[in-house]
Amino acid sequence: MRVFSIFSGLFSPILASLGELAMLAGDTFGSIARGRIRMGLTIRQIAEIGFGSQLVVVVTGAFTGAVFTAQAYFQFASLNMETAVGPVVTLAMFRELGPALTGLMVAGRVGAAMSAEIGTMKVTQQIDALRALAVNPVDYLVVPRALAMLISMPILVVECVGLGVLASYYVGVHVLGITGVYFVANVQKFTEGSDIMMSLIKGFVFGGLIVFISCREGLRAKDGAVGVGRATTATVVTSSLAILITNFFLTMALNILFPAGQR
Amino acid sequence: MIEPLIHVQNLVQRIGGQEILRGLNLDLFPGETLVLLGKSGGGKSVFLRHLIGLMRPVSGSIVFEGSEITTLKERELEPIRRKIGMLFQDGALFDSMNVFDNVAFPLRERGEHDPAVVREKVARSLAMVNMTGHEHKMPVNLSGGMRKRVALARAIISPPDVILYDEPTAGLDPIVSDSINRLIRRLQSQLRVTSLVVTHDMVSCNRVADRVALLHEGRIHFLGTTQQLRDAQDPIIRDFVDGRSGETVY
């Protein structure tokens, strides 16, 4: 009995949170399906989320690709496998690092801002004012952000991976002396469309996680400025953990659809 | 006999284990201005939020134009909310929009996108609250009284059947309070709206009320005219009307 109460005490909040997230996502997709889309707000959010996040995502991708290339080269050089550096870095960027790092950076930059903005609206009664004016907060606040995030995230992932691979090429070929032809040939040989698909699917899923966690935390904010701060922190922590945990399960599941090493 | 526009019966609400409303009964009739008096923290604003479906009661009933609203889902409440305007205590203006966009918001959300029509209606609404010339200011640059007047302009731009005022004069100086009180009366005479004004300001009550209700310990303790309120001998009413705390002064 005591074990059960400890178990339920531990897992009830998690299950409740998952339930709320699922309901918010269901409500959002329901609104999208019914055409309750505000194009102006969605375009503004795409600019904020997609365009505004480019620098941070591109820099993250480029330097991750560069440092991963250097480290892989130092290890592989002792085995005379320098030409494997390109495909290893490219596959890692496509399948894991690109989507996960983009997700983490966007969660920190956009998720936190989203939750702070909606949370401030909540504690200053602006969301009540929306409701009082017969405007559904999910339609007005969540739908444009969700659409913008689901459109922007796969593009940001591609940019992150693209810059990572370019940086890898530059460091591998021009700094560390790997033969450029071998680098490119091996990247082409070992990289397939399925790797790009995996990257895009992960970007899409992580985008969904970030936007629904951020909006939920914002919509639940209470107790003034302290509550908004709490919601923002919870957004970054929960989104980051959700991305890392989901990434593992997505990798396992997507590997069934797009098996690695079958070339 | 006139049917009430809003009929509230046995409304009960608990917050954090405390019973805020304990079986509140009240009728609001078409075209009248009813002032709901009561102590700060006595549940007046909580009651107001129930009338527009922003809060759900533990039990009880609220009937608006013959429809029970306490059981409606969020989206089902939207047609009712279009008929009820609400002035929040601090205005609750959208801080990302300027005055013009705040006031135009309900129009645009209800499908009016013709810039000329929007401009004309916003100008008329702002003129009613004496806020012409402030269209491009952001809410953060407005005083408390100005914010309330802009919020009122927003609430009346698509003329509602009912306006709920949450402490319209709280925190304002007597002159601005007087202008808000005159505005409430003017809106009633010009737009023929039904108004429910929640306040603890006796001056405001005397200026705007057709009828007065006193909320005490979660129930309506008194319901009558302002004259009946002034003449009442009940100690609870007298303490409130005369502004006595009831505590011993040393």
Side-chain angles (χ1 to χ4, degrees), chain A residues 34-203:
Chain A
R34 283 184 212 102
R36 292 182 181 142
I37 298 166
R38 288 163 169 82
M39 282 313 291
L41 287 178
T42 306
I43 290 165
R44 208 178 306 162
Q45 287 299 326
I46 289 175
E48 173 64 28
I49 296 168
F51 193 71
S53 302
Q54 288 200 329
L55 181 67
V56 70
V57 162
V58 158
V59 170
T60 303
F63 279 89
T64 304
V67 77
F68 193 15
T69 302
Q71 199 59 254
Y73 175 85
F74 300 146
Q75 303 301 322
F76 286 175
S78 61
L79 303 167
N80 290 324
M81 287 174 63
E82 296 93 331
T83 52
V85 168
V88 164
V89 173
T90 306
L91 281 178
M93 285 301 293
F94 268 117
R95 287 186 160 246
E96 300 301 335
L97 293 175
L101 289 174
T102 305
L104 293 173
M105 297 314 287
V106 171
R109 201 196 86 85
V110 180
M114 225 180 250
S115 147
E117 188 182 348
I118 296 176
T120 304
M121 288 184 76
K122 175 80 191 310
V123 301
T124 54
Q125 291 190 318
Q126 290 177 58
I127 288 181
D128 282 342
L130 274 181
R131 294 170 67 202
L133 291 165
V135 176
N136 189 291
V138 171
D139 293 356
Y140 189 78
L141 297 171
V142 185
V143 168
R145 285 167 173 78
L147 277 174
M149 185 68 94
L150 295 174
I151 291 168
S152 302
M153 263 301 279
I155 298 169
L156 289 171
V157 168
V158 168
E159 287 180 16
C160 177
V161 173
L163 263 291
V165 174
L166 283 178
S168 173
Y169 177 85
Y170 180 81
V171 171
V173 174
H174 296 289
V175 179
L176 300 170
I178 300 170
T179 310
V181 176
Y182 283 130
F183 187 100
V184 174
N186 281 337
V187 166
Q188 283 177 339
K189 185 179 172 188
F190 288 99
T191 311
E192 290 187 339
S194 61
D195 299 317
I196 300 169
M197 273 308 290
M198 196 163 178
S199 202
L200 294 176
I201 291 170
K202 282 188 173 183

Side-chain angles (χ1 to χ4, degrees), chain B residues 114-129:
Chain B
D114 182 344
V117 175
V118 171
R119 244 193 333 268
E120 190 260 319
K121 288 192 173 179
V122 169
R124 201 190 316 154
S125 206
L126 284 173
M128 280 195 88
V129 298

Side-chain angles (χ1 to χ4, degrees), chain B residues 126-147:
Chain B
L126 284 173
M128 280 195 88
V129 298
N130 297 328
M131 282 295 291
T132 305
H134 298 279
E135 289 84 350
H136 301 293
K137 287 185 179 168
M138 297 301 284
V140 72
N141 297 320
L142 301 176
S143 69
M146 289 164 101
R147 270 203 295 273

Side-chain angles (χ1 to χ4, degrees), chain B residues 148-193:
Chain B
K148 281 188 179 170
R149 282 190 277 164
V150 173
L152 197 48
R154 183 177 69 182
I156 60 172
I157 192 157
S158 295
D161 297 342
V162 182
I163 303 182
L164 309 175
Y165 299 87
D166 190 3
E167 306 272 11
T169 57
L172 303 180
D173 65 64
I175 295 163
V176 177
S177 295
D178 186 57
S179 75
I180 296 269
N181 291 333
R182 286 170 189 273
L183 198 57
I184 293 171
R185 288 311 299 185
R186 189 145 39 99
L187 289 172
Q188 193 202 12
S189 60
Q190 289 181 6
L191 301 178
R192 308 232 171 273
V193 291

Side-chain angles (χ1 to χ4, degrees), chain B:
Chain B
M1 190 179 160
I2 306 169
E3 282 288 306
L5 190 64
I6 299 178
H7 174 65
V8 182
Q9 201 172 9
N10 282 324
L11 203 69
V12 175
Q13 180 59 275
R14 287 187 205 98
I15 299 173
Q18 194 188 349
E19 204 162 46
I20 305 292
L21 304 176
R22 303 175 178 181
L24 188 148
N25 296 299
L26 192 65
D27 286 335
L28 188 63
F29 292 97
E32 74 167 339
T33 298
L34 175 71
V35 170
L36 180 63
L37 293 169
K39 289 182 199 165
S40 294
K44 305 186 297 296
S45 298
V46 168
F47 169 61
L48 215 56
R49 292 168 65 81
H50 283 83
L51 298 183
I52 199 164
L54 296 178
M55 286 181 86
R56 303 214 177 252
V58 172
S59 65
S61 149
I62 299 170
V63 177
F64 176 76
E65 289 183 335
S67 309
E68 175 63 52
I69 66 166
T70 56
T71 51
L72 295 180
K73 291 178 183 153
E74 184 72 15
R75 289 190 193 276
E76 292 169 341
L77 282 163
E78 285 170 13
I80 287 163
R81 287 174 176 161
R82 287 198 191 101
K83 295 180 180 177
I84 304 177
M86 181 159 176
L87 176 66
F88 287 85
Q89 201 167 340
D90 65 352
L93 296 177
F94 303 122
D95 52 18
S96 59
M97 300 177 194
N98 64 18
V99 167
F100 183 92
D101 289 334
N102 261 287
V103 179
F105 184 84
L107 278 185
R108 289 172 174 156
E109 281 300 317
R110 286 164 205 182
E112 181 57 76
H113 294 294
D114 182 344
V117 175
V118 171
R119 244 193 333 268
E120 190 260 319
K121 288 192 173 179
V122 169
R124 201 190 316 154
S125 206
L126 284 173
M128 280 195 88
V129 298
N130 297 328
M131 282 295 291
T132 305
H134 298 279
E135 289 84 350
H136 301 293
K137 287 185 179 168
M138 297 301 284
V140 72
N141 297 320
L142 301 176
S143 69
M146 289 164 101
R147 270 203 295 273
K148 281 188 179 170
R149 282 190 277 164
V150 173
L152 197 48
R154 183 177 69 182
I156 60 172
I157 192 157
S158 295
D161 297 342
V162 182
I163 303 182
L164 309 175
Y165 299 87
D166 190 3
E167 306 272 11
T169 57
L172 303 180
D173 65 64
I175 295 163
V176 177
S177 295
D178 186 57
S179 75
I180 296 269
N181 291 333
R182 286 170 189 273
L183 198 57
I184 293 171
R185 288 311 299 185
R186 189 145 39 99
L187 289 172
Q188 193 202 12
S189 60
Q190 289 181 6
L191 301 178
R192 308 232 171 273
V193 291
T194 308
S195 302
L196 178 58
V197 183
V198 154
T199 185
H200 50 245
D201 177 354
M202 284 307 298
V203 177
S204 178
C205 171
N206 289 327
R207 290 270 159 84
V208 303
D210 294 322
R211 286 196 305 151
V212 186
L214 177 68
L215 181 65
H216 179 70
E217 295 188 342
R219 292 188 190 92
I220 297 298
H221 185 77
F222 166 86
L223 184 62
T225 62
T226 47
Q227 189 58 49
Q228 286 168 332
L229 183 79
R230 279 193 291 270
D231 296 341
Q233 295 306 310
D234 182 300
I236 291 167
I237 301 171
R238 287 264 47 97
D239 280 351
F240 199 88
V241 172
D242 299 336
R244 288 195 302 254
S245 68
E247 292 171 10
T248 310
V249 178
Y250 295 99

